């Protein structure tokens, strides 16, 4: 790599740029670690829905086979500290597409977005696809949107050139019926009826899109946002279960009395199979070397998920609700077979991918995320991160700062070292009071810079006694001398 002195870039400049997410690569060699690429990279962003941290074999799950997802890990990097921006769907997707904390937008206050046609991603807000378009990219979303409904909101209004998928939070895998018993499968802005298992339909369309882009020669981004393994719990061949859920009194899409570990595993394995078809399409078109492939989830797993070695699931700010599998490959630039201790979060991908494409964020909407390219392409030591969360249900609050995490659920408050204690069992708040109180103050300062929570957000209640028993805490263990913003 050319020396830093020759190009007047110091290590301090590099780290500062990485921390703010504002390093502009302009396809140069200094940051990427090699000669500049003749062409900007293509991007395949694969997002699973409600996938637990250990729900693929390369993260330790021994009872299912995910060779194609594992292939991404083998050909690139596996993050051990990858986080979702939220413990629920639409809030994380807001952060992912904007590169900013979701709580900066009214949409991000919906946990999740459900049944409010007047709330969605504002079409005028810069997004990852709209900013890539300025750099000459075309983009297609295949799969789940869940950021607002027509006529006010939609993928084509927020930067994507093409769209195939569903707009709501969930649909039946066979009938493609979503909320309010309406079909929810779209080709651009046209409602369509198509027969088939949805995971397979999404994979097939993604392959077609890759093949078309390969012929055009234009740089592209394909966002492949599966609904798997989100409920209803239906695997390939489970048409009878789909029909059962359509009957009165069945519980419908939520599938409260359905599913099994075996069904869940088959759903994940079918998603992996479709990812394999996309990887084959890249290989067949000679695109693999200069294509960035990212695989991750929108939040932690739900009913049948494996979140080991963490506690908690979707809708909880425990590590199991936030920690997600996070993989990236880019053979032209990222060394193969590496793992990273760098703390990363969903909103990092926007500044990272813009930098890789030679594009820049809108200066009026600076990213809260971090440009990860130095971590990905060089042997850069992990940077300490300070990340914040809140979740209106059960007044949950959290901060991760270095190895430490402040957590509040209902009136129970904690300080954990999540590196040494990933199960979040040993409450250190009395032993390390200075750290605990500092993180509480910093959470309050950060929260004051975000939009306030609203009563209309999704609400959910834990059993307070079960929660206290789990942590060995008293239900009356309140946050001392710290006002709770949810009481305002």
């Amino acid at each position: 790599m050319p020396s830093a002195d020759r190009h007047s870039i110091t290590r301090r400049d590099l780290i500062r740029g990485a921390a703010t997410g504002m390093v502009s690569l302009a396809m140069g060699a200094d940051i990427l670690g090699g000669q500049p690429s003749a062409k900007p990279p293509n991007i395949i962003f694969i997002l699973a829905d409600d996938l637990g941290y250990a729900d693929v074999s390369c993260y330790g799950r021994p009872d299912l086979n995910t060779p194609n997802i594992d292939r991404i890990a083998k050909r690139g990097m596996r993050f051990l500290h990858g986080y979702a921006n939220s413990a629920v769907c639409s809030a994380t997707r807001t952060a992912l597409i904007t590169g900013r904390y979701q709580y900066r937008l009214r949409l991000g206050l919906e946990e999740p977005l459900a049944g409010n046609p007047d709330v969605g991603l504002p079409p005028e807000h810069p997004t990852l696809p709209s900013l890539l378009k300025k750099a000459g990219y075309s983009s297609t979303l295949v799969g789940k949107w869940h950021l607002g409904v027509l006529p006010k909101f939609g993928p084509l209004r927020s930067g994507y050139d093409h769209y195939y998928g569903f707009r709501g939070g969930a649909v039946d895998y066979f009938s493609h019926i979503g909320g309010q018993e309406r079909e929810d499968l779209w080709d651009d802005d046209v409602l369509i009826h198509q027969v088939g298992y949805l995971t397979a339909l999404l994979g097939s369309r993604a392959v077609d899109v890759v093949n078309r882009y390969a012929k055009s020669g234009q740089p592209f981004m394909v966002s492949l946002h599966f609904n798997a393994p989100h409920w209803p719990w239906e695997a390939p061949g489970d048409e009878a279960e789909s029909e059962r859920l359509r009957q009165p009194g069945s519980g419908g899409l939520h599938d409260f009395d359905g599913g099994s570990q075996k069904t869940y595993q088959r759903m994940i394995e079918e998603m992996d199979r479709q990812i394999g078809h996309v990887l084959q399409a890249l290989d067949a078109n000679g695109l693999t070397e200069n294509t960035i492939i990212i695989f991750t989830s929108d939040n932690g797993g739900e009913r049948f998920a494996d979140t080991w070695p963490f506690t908690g699931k979707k809708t909880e700010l425990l590590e199991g609700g936030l920690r997600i599998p996070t993989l990236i490959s880019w053979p032209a630039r990222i060394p193969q077979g590496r793992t990273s201790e760098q703390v990363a979060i969903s909103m990092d991908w926007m500044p990272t991918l813009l930098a890789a494409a030679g594009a820049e964020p809108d200066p009026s909407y600076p990213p809260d995320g971090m440009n990860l390219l130095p971590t990905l392409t060089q042997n850069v030591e992990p940077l300490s991160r300070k990340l914040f969360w809140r979740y209106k249900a059960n007044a949950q609050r959290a901060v991760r700062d270095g190895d430490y995490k402040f957590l509040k659920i209902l009136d129970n408050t904690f300080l954990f070292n999540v590196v040494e204690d990933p199960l979040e069992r040993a409450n250190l708040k009395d032993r390390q009071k200075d750290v605990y109180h500092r993180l509480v103050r910093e959470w309050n300062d950060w929260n004051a810079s975000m939009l306030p929570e609203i009563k209309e957000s999704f609400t959910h209640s834990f059993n307070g006694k079960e929660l206290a028993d789990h942590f060995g805490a008293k239900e009356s263990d309140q946050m001392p001398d710290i006002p709770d913003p949810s009481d305002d």
Side-chain angles (χ1 to χ4, degrees):
M1 186 180 77
S3 69
D5 291 338
R6 177 182 172 189
H7 295 276
S8 301
I9 297 178
T10 67
R11 178 175 173 82
R12 180 175 297 176
D13 294 330
L14 181 63
I15 293 175
R16 183 185 300 115
T20 60
M22 296 297 290
V23 173
S24 176
L25 298 186
M27 300 314 296
D30 298 280
I31 305 300
L32 291 177
Q35 293 302 311
S37 174
K39 295 181 64 177
N42 302 306
I43 300 164
I44 306 286
F45 197 104
I46 305 170
L47 191 66
D49 199 345
D50 293 359
L51 189 74
Y53 179 82
D55 275 338
V56 292
S57 46
C58 64
Y59 275 88
R61 183 149 185 171
D63 57 345
L64 56 80
N65 189 29
T66 55
N68 298 298
I69 296 170
D70 296 350
R71 180 183 170 195
I72 300 171
K74 292 175 182 176
R75 299 177 70 169
M77 180 178 289
R78 181 170 62 100
F79 282 81
L80 302 180
H81 297 266
Y83 283 93
N85 260 77
S86 176
V88 76
C89 172
S90 48
T92 290
R93 293 167 193 267
T94 301
L96 175 63
I97 200 170
T98 65
R100 290 157 62 85
Y101 279 113
Q102 63 271 22
Y103 320 104
R104 296 188 183 279
L105 289 172
R106 172 65 179 80
L107 168 63
L109 306 183
E110 299 287 337
E111 298 172 326
L113 178 63
N116 192 336
D118 295 321
V119 175
L121 181 62
E124 67 275 10
H125 195 292
T127 63
L128 175 58
S130 73
L131 294 168
L132 286 173
K133 184 179 294 189
K134 293 181 179 181
Y137 279 69
S138 181
S139 61
T140 297
L141 171 60
V142 177
K144 184 171 178 175
W145 167 244
H146 204 192
L147 295 177
V149 298
L150 291 173
K152 294 182 178 181
F153 313 105
L156 304 185
R157 289 158 175 73
S158 288
Y160 284 105
D161 298 299
H162 305 286
Y163 172 55
Y164 173 86
F166 62 102
R167 298 175 185 273
V171 293
D172 186 275
Y173 285 79
F174 293 95
S175 69
H176 315 143
I177 291 176
Q180 300 179 334
E181 298 299 314
R182 296 176 181 173
E183 290 196 46
D184 187 14
L185 185 61
W186 301 78
D187 197 339
D188 287 339
D189 284 345
V190 178
L191 184 65
I192 63 173
H193 178 80
Q194 191 171 0
V195 175
Y197 184 70
L198 187 54
T199 302
L201 293 178
L202 298 180
S204 178
R205 177 56 68 96
V207 168
D208 291 344
V209 171
V210 168
N211 289 334
R212 286 200 298 269
Y213 278 136
K215 292 177 181 178
S216 74
Q218 183 180 16
F220 64 85
M221 178 178 74
V222 177
S223 299
L224 176 53
H225 293 185
F226 288 104
N227 56 326
H230 193 291
W231 46 261
W233 319 112
E234 298 168 353
D238 286 346
E239 289 92 341
E241 177 69 359
S242 172
E243 183 61 30
R244 183 184 74 84
L245 294 177
R246 298 180 68 175
Q247 303 308 310
S250 68
L253 281 181
H254 291 89
D255 202 6
F256 295 116
D257 60 349
S260 67
Q261 282 289 346
K262 186 61 178 177
T263 298
Y264 186 75
Q265 292 163 21
R266 289 167 55 216
M267 294 170 74
I268 293 173
E269 288 173 347
E270 178 61 25
M271 177 174 63
D272 181 82
R273 186 176 298 111
Q274 297 304 322
I275 291 170
H277 294 163
V278 175
L279 299 182
Q280 291 168 8
L282 293 172
D283 289 342
N285 288 288
L287 299 176
T288 299
E289 183 74 9
N290 196 35
T291 296
I292 298 172
I293 303 173
I294 294 168
F295 174 84
T296 189
S297 181
D298 58 349
N299 46 250
E302 202 182 334
R303 182 188 301 181
F304 299 109
D306 187 349
T307 61
W308 181 261
F310 310 117
T311 299
K313 295 186 183 297
K314 176 182 176 179
T315 74
E316 302 169 2
L317 298 188
L318 293 155
E319 291 292 285
L322 294 172
R323 199 84 73 97
I324 50 177
T326 305
L327 307 170
I328 182 170
S329 70
W330 184 10
R333 295 300 182 208
I334 299 175
Q336 296 189 16
R338 293 171 60 191
T339 59
S340 176
E341 297 283 347
Q342 177 63 61
V343 174
I345 192 169
S346 308
M347 64 185 177
D348 293 341
W349 293 119
M350 199 263 267
T352 299
L353 293 173
L354 290 181
E360 296 184 356
D362 187 315
S364 299
Y365 299 86
D368 294 313
M370 164 181 161
N371 174 14
L372 297 170
L373 276 176
T375 294
L376 296 169
T377 61
Q378 298 185 51
N379 190 23
V380 175
E381 289 294 319
L383 296 175
S384 182
R385 301 290 300 275
K386 190 173 294 183
L387 301 175
F388 300 88
W389 294 270
R390 73 185 192 202
Y391 194 68
K392 184 177 175 65
N394 297 296
Q396 296 179 74
R397 287 87 177 82
V399 182
R400 175 155 178 184
D401 184 10
D403 293 353
Y404 288 99
K405 178 180 175 182
F406 158 69
L407 176 67
K408 177 180 182 290
I409 308 177
L410 298 174
D411 291 327
N412 302 277
T413 59
F414 312 91
L415 177 69
F416 298 115
N417 183 321
V418 291
V419 174
E420 296 181 358
D421 175 28
L423 278 173
E424 297 173 283
R425 300 291 188 180
N427 190 0
L428 304 176
K429 73 173 191 177
D430 291 329
R431 290 172 55 189
Q432 301 194 40
K433 292 182 180 180
D434 290 346
V435 175
Y436 169 78
H437 287 293
R438 175 177 62 81
L439 294 183
V440 170
R441 287 193 300 270
E442 290 177 352
W443 186 91
N444 281 324
D445 291 343
W446 165 83
N447 188 56
S449 69
M450 300 291 136
L451 294 177
E453 290 170 306
I454 56 171
K455 294 180 180 179
E456 291 81 2
S457 291
F458 175 78
T459 58
H460 171 82
S461 292
F462 290 111
N463 182 308
K465 183 179 186 304
E466 289 181 359
L467 182 69
D469 289 344
H470 172 81
F471 288 108
K474 300 186 295 293
E475 290 184 70
S476 60
D477 187 10
Q478 297 185 4
M479 186 182 295
D481 303 321
I482 300 292
D484 182 351
S486 69
D487 293 335
D488 291 346

